[in-house]
Amino acid sequence: DIQMTQSPSTLSASVGDSVTITCRASQSISGWLAWYQQKSRKAPKLLIYKASTLESGVPSRFSGSGSGTEFTLTISSLQPDDFATYYCQQYNIYSPWTFGQGTKVEIK
Amino acid sequence: EVKLVESGGGLVKPGGSLRLSCAASGFTFSSHSMNWVRQAPGKGLEWVSSITSTSNYIYTADSVKGRFTISRDNANNSLFLQMNSLRADDTAVYFCARGSSQTRAFDIWGQGTMVTVSS
């Protein structure tokens, strides 16, 4: 099975900061990587798919990059609404849909 | 409005069974793959099972294989998860989520239904 490892587990930042979350796959996933935001264990919200494509309606301060086994989510100029937990998710035909363990972005 | 609403959660004893439902509205249900994802208390998201639009392919996580069965009724815009031989570590909020064949991501999620397995 493909394992997804996110870092850091917790990130403390201030409004206006730029933050980056990393997600590493145990083997290449060819760009099938999505990022989700979850607040207070409510329904997750899709932010980015195919590693770097912004979902409709998601603010442009969110961006994703990466390929192969290493991917990043960057939030430029953190807003109060962005304090939440973020998850990466991979898709591979042989090991479908694994989530990372999550990164909590909290107020510094 | 595109919407997914889960139901059927509750308290069940170890070894018991439960059937979750997910009612879809606001989109062409029969055109989308569908998924179940769970979240145990204090833990992260765990993919459980997925079913293609015509039910021709089903994928299930090893942690529930042989105990949980996903199914769907396209005529009634509904998704199901039959859960048998439930264990304490199945305690979680269960979310249904719409899949995208183009992106392989889950773009619409329900609010979840809580399943508690306890004696």
Side-chain angles (χ1 to χ4, degrees), chain A residues 1 32 34 36 38 41-44 46 49-50 55 87 89 91 96-97 99-101, chain B residues 37 39-45 47 50 62 95 102-107 109-111:
Chain A
D1 288 1
W32 295 113
Y36 300 85
Q38 187 185 35
R41 298 174 68 78
K42 297 278 196 296
L46 176 63
Y49 58 87
K50 283 186 180 176
E55 174 73 343
Y87 294 90
Q89 177 204 37
Y91 169 80
W97 299 288
F99 288 93
Q101 80 275 20
Chain B
V37 175
Q39 186 170 35
K43 302 294 185 184
L45 301 172
W47 168 73
S50 299
D62 288 344
F95 297 100
Q102 287 77 29
T103 71
R104 305 293 196 266
F106 300 170
D107 59 359
W109 295 64
Q111 288 301 307

Side-chain angles (χ1 to χ4, degrees), chain B residues 49-117:
Chain B
S49 190
S50 299
I51 186 168
T52 52
S53 58
T54 58
S55 304
N56 54 337
Y57 290 101
I58 286 173
Y59 308 91
T60 305
D62 288 344
S63 58
V64 304
K65 200 168 286 184
R67 301 188 298 121
F68 291 11
T69 303
I70 192 173
S71 63
R72 63 190 295 161
D73 178 353
N74 285 347
N76 290 295
N77 297 330
S78 296
L79 175 72
F80 305 102
L81 186 68
Q82 178 66 44
M83 304 187 296
N84 298 330
S85 303
L86 282 160
R87 311 186 304 220
D89 62 359
D90 295 318
T91 294
V93 174
Y94 285 74
F95 297 100
C96 69
R98 187 179 81 172
S100 165
S101 59
Q102 287 77 29
T103 71
R104 305 293 196 266
F106 300 170
D107 59 359
I108 303 294
W109 295 64
Q111 288 301 307
T113 187
M114 182 70 204
V115 172
T116 303
V117 184

